[in-house]
Amino acid sequence: MSTAWPSTPWTDLYPPGTTAVTGPLRHASLADYAAAACARFADQTAVVQDDVVLTYRELDRLSQAFSTWLQRDARLAAGERLAIMMPNLPQYLVTLLGAWRAGLVVVNVNPQYTARELAYQLRDAGAAAVVVLEAALPLLNEARAELPPTVAARVIVTTMAELGPGTPAATPQRDGEVSFGSTLQAAELLPDVPRGTDDLALLQYTGGTTGVSKGAMLAHGNLLANLQQGDAWYGPFITPGRESVLTVLPLYHIFGLMFNGLQMLGYGACNRLIASPRDVSAIAAALRAGCTVISGVNTLYTAMLEAPAFAGIDFKGLKLSVSGGASAQPSVVTRWQQRTGDRIVEGYGLTETSPFALSNPLHTRYGSGLVPLPSTEVEIRDDEGAALPPGQAGEICIRGPQVMRGYWQRPAETAAVLSADGWLRTGDIGVMDAQGRFTVTDRKKDMVLVSGFNVFPNEVEAVLDQHPGVVESAVVGVPDERTGEAVLACVVRRDPAVTADMLEAHCRAALTAYKVPRQYQFVDQLPKSPVGKILRRELRTQMKKSD
């Protein structure tokens, strides 16, 4: 890591009092970080959802109890992987913190996955146990039928409101399944399993240009460093123990996990959890109860501006609105500031950077450019890896303590993006101006970003090409006002009778909803290189010309 931080041009753009480096880590592990927050804010409300209210003291006790069960009853050893497959529920935070206290590695799983997607991720991670929402148990059991007996051998089943008063516990149906409530009954609590900053904390799955989802290996030190970077950025605008955060972003997504789940936990915030982002009434109720911090993507901010349920809400207590995952549209940003008096702060990052790497300075206007967070180096490089001067477009490359250790069990793919001296090739194209402000202009890789979720074309194409009426296909992203980008499939048909509705039904059987193409175009042939490689970039250019 370079030590010449004061010479980087962007530090002159930092808010007053923000230092160029964050200093040594304050905690040895995420379990220590959480325990310190729970002790400091013991009597403050930590989590609210419907009639479930947990204080930080209760969150601490429940996570210790779950950790004890994992160690004593499940006999899971430090370093083994525990998958969490549920929406935003209080049980998620109990599970997350309990897993880290037991020394385990967390694997976040989208509860809307298909059985095919789920089986792949559990097998690849080698997950020894899974905590799953009861409604998703049939899907999990379908996936488990394709797995070796050592994978997902332990299943902990929870219900939507299991921690609520008078709510019956889940009722497991098969051997190896236990109810979540039964794991919280320990009378004697075991101490936390010691872990260090170099130990793996999280396998966060992300896609790749090969279409294979890969687990980004994020150590305790990576996540703790990113939390300290976030604290240096947001801390001056936060009053510890006095904030209330609206959590609509799923906690299984790296943005929701780090900002809403962990950053706000460190501030002793009251976390108002929303299980479904489509539950407008629940979001409106949380806002009426009072939220000082909101995070989201363009679709959420648009909904809060346009849905009638939000019309009479008073946003006067709002002090911080953060956008990430996908860019907020300028018109939405303008309307949000007019409606609430608070501007949207935009961030940029990747799963591989834990995820925060660049952000708008909070004291500047939206659209004024992104700057690297403290202790983060960013360069614009050409295809040969040479740094480019200001004003020239090239690949955004990042180095800092938040950069992942690599991809789980994929040394070749790790080497393709992560240099020996710690520089990450993001695959995104950007420009830096003379003052050190960065603008992201395009993507070098073929990823499509739908409401902050990565969609990798090869995976969708592989599903489309399995349809008997399809010769071949190519998938690209096209602009969409609601989701930032949408998936467009260009298809060469074997059978002229194949329709878009038929292909959509085929895709929905194998892919999570956000990966399913929104549009289908039938073509006679796809553009290809001399060696037969489909040229998605040329397809994207054709789509732009046709707009």
Side-chain angles (χ1 to χ4, degrees), residues 140-276:
L140 174 61
N141 287 334
E142 182 182 346
R144 289 176 74 200
E146 306 299 322
L147 297 173
T150 56
V151 176
R154 286 276 194 174
V155 177
I156 302 98
V157 187
T158 189
T159 61
M160 282 294 293
E162 189 160 3
L163 297 180
T167 304
T171 53
Q173 303 295 318
R174 302 184 352 161
D175 291 341
E177 296 173 4
V178 299
S179 71
F180 185 74
S182 70
T183 69
L184 307 177
Q185 305 305 315
E188 281 189 36
L189 301 176
L190 293 179
D192 295 348
V193 175
R195 302 301 276 169
T197 55
D198 290 334
D199 288 314
L200 192 59
L202 183 67
L203 282 185
Q204 189 73 20
Y205 274 74
T206 183
T209 54
T210 62
V212 176
S213 185
K214 307 180 296 294
M217 296 189 294
L218 299 174
H220 286 268
N222 293 137
L223 301 181
L224 288 167
N226 209 215
L227 290 168
Q228 283 189 202
Q229 291 166 322
D231 184 40
W233 211 245
Y234 301 114
F237 299 84
I238 294 293
T239 304
R242 300 291 298 275
E243 308 299 347
S244 179
V245 59
L246 176 69
T247 300
V248 180
L249 288 170
L251 292 169
Y252 58 77
H253 189 282
I254 189 68
F255 178 20
L257 170 67
M258 286 296 287
F259 184 79
N260 293 69
L262 296 179
Q263 195 84 63
M264 291 297 123
L265 181 143
Y267 290 135
C270 171
N271 208 319
R272 300 190 181 278
L273 295 178
I274 307 298
S276 170

Side-chain angles (χ1 to χ4, degrees), residues 330-352:
S331 60
V332 172
V333 174
T334 300
R335 291 171 60 202
W336 183 255
Q337 185 159 7
Q338 292 170 346
R339 173 74 175 82
T340 68
D342 185 60
R343 70 183 187 86
I344 293 176
V345 178
E346 187 173 24
Y348 166 85
L350 305 89
T351 300
E352 292 87 342

Side-chain angles (χ1 to χ4, degrees), residues 25 196 261 330:
L25 295 178

